[in-house]
Amino acid sequence: KWAELAASIGKDIGVDVAVLCASYEEKKSKPVADATRGTLMLSNTPESHVPNILSCDLVIATDTGLKHVAAYLGLPVIGIYGHSSPTIWGTGRDNETVMRGQSECLPCNNPFLCEHGHPICLESIVTEEVANRAKSLLGVSA
């Protein structure tokens, strides 16, 4: 749902969308950037990600290193949690807003052996709710 979310934020909020990823993720990430006329920002080392992260007003990410770096740098972060637990894998910082799916099996911490055959934990996260949270954090009226 990344393209849907990015399109909603880019169009409805009127902000520029940047898609931050490593070079090996470019093929999967480019359609998200293209769908939103956003910028694809490639970095392959943690230190080269920092200038890209600092150019953002808000970071929305799953449980990745980029999310932790952004939170450490003091940026507002929306952490998307499917199978993982924000209690264990969250940033532990006040500037992270946690968005979780709804499923009786959360957190399983094992997306590779999902008993449902597909990640219902991620699928149940409502794009509009994430976009509305982003609007609130960016100070844009809904």
Side-chain angles (χ1 to χ4, degrees):
K1 298 183 184 179
W2 286 113
E4 180 184 335
L5 176 62
S8 174
I9 292 170
K11 178 179 65 174
D12 295 344
I13 301 177
V15 299
D16 295 328
V17 173
V19 179
L20 283 64
C21 65
S23 293
Y24 70 88
E25 299 169 310
E26 181 176 8
K27 187 175 182 179
K28 288 184 177 181
S29 301
K30 189 171 181 341
V32 176
D34 289 348
T36 61
R37 289 186 223 108
T39 304
L40 188 62
M41 301 175 108
L42 302 175
S43 300
N44 290 315
T45 61
E47 61 273 9
S48 65
H49 273 298
V50 171
N52 291 342
I53 292 170
L54 286 172
S55 73
C56 298
D57 295 318
L58 169 70
V59 172
I60 303 172
T62 56
D63 188 30
T64 64
L66 292 179
K67 177 191 72 170
H68 290 272
V69 171
Y72 177 78
L73 292 171
L75 292 166
V77 172
I78 297 177
I80 306 292
Y81 291 87
H83 66 278
S84 62
S85 167
T87 304
I88 297 170
W89 301 109
T91 65
R93 300 182 69 88
D94 292 339
N95 54 328
E96 180 185 15
T97 299
V98 172
M99 302 293 291
R100 295 196 68 180
Q102 301 298 315
S103 176
E104 71 284 346
C105 53
L106 288 175
C108 72
N109 291 312
N110 194 347
F112 305 106
L113 298 174
C114 179
E115 64 185 54
H116 302 285
H118 56 95
I120 64 170
C121 52
L122 286 173
E123 293 168 358
S124 67
I125 297 173
V126 179
T127 304
E128 185 177 344
E129 290 177 12
V130 178
N132 286 339
R133 184 59 60 105
K135 290 175 188 179
S136 174
L137 291 170
L138 291 170
V140 177
S141 54

